[in-house]
Amino acid sequence: MKPTCLNQKELAERWTISHRTLERWRWAGEGPAYMKIGGRVVYRIADIEAFERDVMNATSDQGVPAY
């Protein structure tokens, strides 16, 4: 079964960034949408993929190669 959500550390691993970066983004109102369930922060895969598409489109529109 495919996971439907990732926690903060799993998403940080996926993007090879610090989990603290995700914390800072949440505080600043940036980054992908998230849910807080019972004190745990989780990110839905659909929201992660939508954010990745938006970032890719934004960089492509600026003439920067998207990886």
Side-chain angles (χ1 to χ4, degrees), residues 3 5 11 25 32-34 62:
C5 294
L11 180 55
W25 286 356
Y34 66 93
Q62 296 171 1

Side-chain angles (χ1 to χ4, degrees), residues 40-51:
R40 277 189 54 205
V41 172
V42 294
Y43 297 87
R44 294 184 317 160
I45 298 291
D47 293 331
I48 293 167
E49 291 172 346
F51 181 78

Side-chain angles (χ1 to χ4, degrees), residues 14-64:
R14 175 182 173 127
W15 288 347
T16 60
I17 62 173
S18 168
H19 69 279
R20 298 281 183 180
T21 299
L22 293 169
E23 290 174 2
R24 184 170 39 83
W25 286 356
R26 285 196 309 273
W27 181 83
E30 301 171 357
Y34 66 93
M35 299 183 296
K36 206 164 191 181
I37 302 173
R40 277 189 54 205
V41 172
V42 294
Y43 297 87
R44 294 184 317 160
I45 298 291
D47 293 331
I48 293 167
E49 291 172 346
F51 181 78
E52 290 169 342
R53 279 191 304 276
D54 290 345
V55 170
M56 186 181 300
N57 289 338
T59 57
S60 295
D61 291 345
Q62 296 171 1
V64 177

